[in-house]
Amino acid sequence: MIGDIDARGSVRKVLVLGGGSAGLLAGLTLKRMVPGLEVELVRSSEIGVIGVGEGTTALFPAHLFGELGIPKERFYREAEPTWKQGIRFLWGERGDYFYDFGFQYDAKFPGMERAAGYFCDEDCDDLNETCAMMRRGKVFLTGPLGRPLIRGEYAFHIENAKLVGCLESLAREAGVELAEDLLEGVETGENGVARLHFASGAVREADFYVDASGFRAELIGKALGEGFKSFEGGLFCDRAVVGGWERTDEPLQAYTVAETMDSGWCWKIEHEHYINRGYVYSSPFVSDDEALEEFLRCNPRVSSEPRVVRYRSGRRERSWVGNVVAIGNASGFVEPLEATALAQIIYASKWLSLMLREGGDERGRERYNDLMGKAWDEIRDFLAYHYKFNTLRDTAFWRHCREETSLGDFAGLYEMYREVGPGPELVTALPFHPNIYGIEGYLAHLVGMRVPYRVRGEVRAGDREMFERGRRRVRARVAAAVDSVEALAAIRSEGWRF
Ligand SMILES: Cc1cc2nc3c(=O)[nH]c(=O)nc-3n(C[C@H](O)[C@H](O)[C@H](O)COP(=O)(O)OP(=O)(O)OC[C@H]3O[C@@H](n4cnc5c(N)ncnc54)[C@H](O)[C@@H]3O)c2cc1C
């Protein structure tokens, strides 16, 4: 956790509009990282929260437990997360591969000259321990006493209502003042927002405002009119039908499933007592009724009333305008295929805290907007890779994706891959450094989907044998791994220490 450093600039009081996961994470992070700030958060239970957004990336536990110093015991008790080690893609020509938070295709087993990705034409399983565990329904390696080793790059599945409830109590305890009220009017001024008028009659004023009002974008969009950069030209899905059922005897898997559907894809998120499914689809290609019919056909156990969520893929031209920063869905949204929204909220909250600690001046604002813009655009392009090369189904939607998806700023990376395959020189084709996914993220999908490349080159004698030997060692190491049910029992047992 970062120590007691106060904001140096003129920002003393911040008002956060919105109490979904974005507003709460932003408020909590600001209060922890800039303790001298006065932070008030106002939200309306009449409007409520979006209620989706249940898969995290590995950044989430690292931020909560590392930077913010939230006690693990407390978080596990209140938010009741299950572990997510990655995503299982039922996708591409291969039809089934795993993507985790570590390295597979860009890595080498000891002694190998070439990266493992070169040897994955037939089989891409067991390239590292995490993926080998996911394949076998396991979640963590065990230590000498047979206890799970809960460490490394793991993420969570968390029910949205439980996450919001837990973040509320953490934020309150950290000193964030929480208020219930409905925003009715915004007075703007030279510097952006001057004051906010609420249904209760209260008028609230602050030096700085965080717009975390979700897709309504009350401050950045409605009041300040900041432009929206649409990604609809490259990412074609715009709706999701969401539903689920109470778990009975299904194994509790430590991964999200992303499964190809006729006009989009379907997630499966594993909570301890509930299985959540959502079909993300493209409304020009399928009606809501047809999507619902396909969703229920694939998920006959759905027992909750399915609901349709509409969204627009894209981002604000600038997330920080005057004295307003938009965080969460108010800032942008790039469909949930890689569960990136909570990670973006964390990046945004951290960068904002750092900029405010430095005074929150014009230079900081420009840096912030540049960083956030690049991050959103990279996620757009990363998702584009998923759509462009998925050959699993031959429907109008998928043909359109293959033909029309633009790879944006990351097109050069594919051009080079097409020539050289999973080689180290790919790093020179990255448009900027550092980027979010490195080379590994792109290779996971290119090799995972068996996207062809031209030059195979000589493979040094012995490399394949070392590759197979490495995979055998991986399999041996995961033989004693535990599954999620065993790991949950362990952390709830008497005497357990994180
Ligand atoms: C289909 C779908 C699936 C998703 N899956 C994932 C996922 O797996 N992983 C992930 O990280 N993200 C996912 N997301 C994104 C997810 O929505 C966000 O991560 C997250 O929930 C942030 O929401 P938010 O706080 O910005 O907005 P919301 O939850 O909508 O919160 C908005 C807040 O603003 C308040 N508010 C709005 N207007 C007013 C007003 N006038 N007055 C007072 N208060 C107001 C509301 O009451 C509420 O408290 C998904 C999104 C969609 C659409």
Side-chain angles (χ1 to χ4, degrees):
M1 191 174 122
I2 295 173
D4 271 11
I5 304 168
D6 280 355
R8 272 194 276 127
S10 53
V11 176
R12 294 284 158 208
K13 177 169 181 186
V14 175
L15 190 144
V16 179
L17 180 71
S21 35
L24 289 163
L25 273 168
L28 180 61
T29 303
L30 280 167
K31 196 65 203 164
R32 287 278 183 150
M33 291 179 67
V34 198
L37 278 182
E38 193 186 325
V39 181
E40 184 180 13
L41 184 151
V42 189
R43 79 293 199 214
S44 154
S45 53
E46 197 182 315
I47 293 176
V49 299
I50 189 167
V52 283
E54 309 208 313
T56 81
T57 64
L59 189 65
F60 185 92
H63 180 64
L64 237 69
F65 304 142
E67 272 141 340
L68 301 187
I70 305 298
K72 290 181 180 165
E73 294 77 4
R74 162 99 189 260
F75 187 77
Y76 279 97
R77 196 172 57 243
E78 289 184 19
E80 298 181 21
T82 55
W83 294 283
K84 167 184 168 186
Q85 290 281 20
I87 304 177
R88 180 180 183 185
F89 280 91
L90 303 179
W91 211 266
E93 198 207 288
R94 203 188 294 268
D96 185 359
Y97 61 92
F98 285 95
Y99 175 41
D100 73 333
F101 303 109
F103 291 88
Q104 299 184 77
Y105 305 100
D106 195 25
K108 299 170 187 174
F109 290 115
M112 282 173 71
E113 190 180 67
R114 291 215 173 198
Y118 276 105
F119 301 89
C120 292
D121 288 349
E122 280 156 36
D123 174 3
C124 65
D125 274 349
D126 304 337
L127 299 181
N128 67 23
E129 286 149 5
T130 313
C131 292
M133 287 192 290
M134 285 193 276
R135 175 63 79 204
R136 289 160 182 77
K138 307 288 181 186
V139 62
F140 290 116
L141 298 175
T142 47
L145 300 174
R147 295 176 141 218
L149 299 171
I150 302 178
R151 61 187 188 201
E153 298 272 295
Y154 62 86
F156 290 134
H157 290 141
I158 318 172
E159 290 181 52
N160 188 271
K162 286 183 184 162
L163 174 61
V164 168
C166 176
L167 289 175
E168 267 203 22
S169 65
L170 291 170
R172 192 176 285 114
E173 280 166 37
V176 177
E177 268 178 59
L178 299 178
E180 162 67 33
D181 219 337
L182 177 70
L183 179 78
E184 285 197 332
V186 181
E187 267 183 67
T188 53
E190 243 173 56
N191 194 26
V193 166
R195 53 193 68 78
L196 304 180
H197 294 259
F198 289 87
S200 67
V203 179
R204 292 183 170 89
E205 222 173 297
D207 306 312
F208 199 87
Y209 298 83
V210 172
D211 184 354
S213 62
F215 290 139
R216 300 165 75 102
E218 296 280 2
L219 308 184
I220 194 98
K222 287 187 196 157
L224 300 184
E226 180 62 13
F228 187 79
K229 183 174 170 185
S230 170
F231 294 161
E232 283 157 348
L235 296 173
F236 306 114
C237 290
D238 56 359
R239 291 186 194 178
V241 54
V242 184
W245 64 91
E246 294 297 326
R247 175 185 297 286
T248 51
D249 56 353
E250 300 90 343
L252 177 61
Q253 301 293 7
Y255 51 78
T256 303
V257 173
E259 177 177 6
T260 307
M261 302 281 277
D262 282 351
S263 303
W265 63 278
C266 194
W267 75 67
K268 182 175 179 209
I269 288 190
E270 304 265 355
H271 301 301
E272 192 177 357
H273 304 295
Y274 192 76
I275 295 179
N276 181 318
R277 286 288 246 167
Y279 178 11
V280 177
Y281 59 94
S282 174
S283 62
F285 289 88
V286 65
S287 70
D288 290 349
D289 286 346
E290 288 164 334
L292 178 63
E293 194 271 325
E294 189 187 351
F295 178 65
L296 292 176
R297 196 165 8 98
C298 295
N299 299 287
R301 297 208 52 202
V302 166
S303 59
S304 64
E305 189 59 40
R307 66 180 176 121
V308 172
V309 182
R310 295 170 183 223
Y311 64 83
R312 235 181 354 155
S313 275
R315 65 163 170 95
R316 294 286 150 194
E317 296 283 353
R318 296 170 301 170
S319 291
W320 184 340
V321 180
N323 62 352
V324 174
V325 160
I327 293 186
N329 293 345
S331 153
F333 179 67
V334 186
E335 79 132 275
L337 184 49
E338 286 278 354
T340 42
L342 285 164
Q344 280 291 80
I345 291 166
I346 290 171
Y347 282 131
S349 304
K350 276 166 60 171
W351 286 332
L352 177 61
S353 303
L354 294 174
M355 300 299 171
L356 289 185
R357 278 151 48 109
E358 285 172 16
D361 62 8
E362 184 62 35
R363 271 189 36 239
R365 192 181 317 167
E366 277 171 21
R367 265 170 49 219
Y368 180 93
N369 282 330
D370 185 53
L371 283 166
M372 283 311 294
K374 279 203 176 109
W376 282 120
D377 294 351
E378 177 173 358
I379 296 171
R380 173 201 62 200
D381 297 343
F382 184 54
L383 295 185
Y385 270 71
H386 298 59
Y387 283 103
K388 182 99 185 153
F389 304 110
N390 185 359
T391 51
L392 195 60
R393 290 201 190 186
D394 193 27
T395 59
F397 169 77
W398 285 106
R399 281 194 295 277
H400 183 79
C401 289
R402 291 192 286 271
E403 282 157 23
E404 301 298 329
T405 302
S406 153
L407 299 179
D409 299 334
F410 284 74
L413 184 73
Y414 170 59
E415 293 306 318
M416 187 178 273
Y417 170 85
R418 209 159 56 167
E419 286 302 308
V420 303
E425 57 271 57
L426 282 179
V427 79
T428 62
L430 287 173
F432 45 82
H433 303 268
N435 68 320
I436 301 175
Y437 299 101
I439 289 297
E440 178 64 31
Y442 295 87
L443 281 181
H445 298 290
L446 289 167
V447 179
M449 285 187 264
R450 279 208 193 101
V451 178
Y453 51 92
R454 204 174 64 83
V455 178
R456 291 263 142 188
E458 287 283 296
V459 173
R460 200 179 58 168
D463 248 28
R464 170 154 294 275
E465 177 44 33
M466 282 183 246
F467 173 73
E468 294 303 348
R469 193 184 308 151
R471 295 206 304 168
R472 281 197 295 277
R473 285 201 188 116
V474 165
R475 285 181 207 119
R477 281 198 292 269
V478 304
V482 291
D483 65 24
S484 290
V485 172
E486 292 166 314
L488 283 172
I491 66 165
R492 290 167 185 163
S493 64
E494 219 168 295
W496 172 266
R497 294 275 174 280
F498 279 102

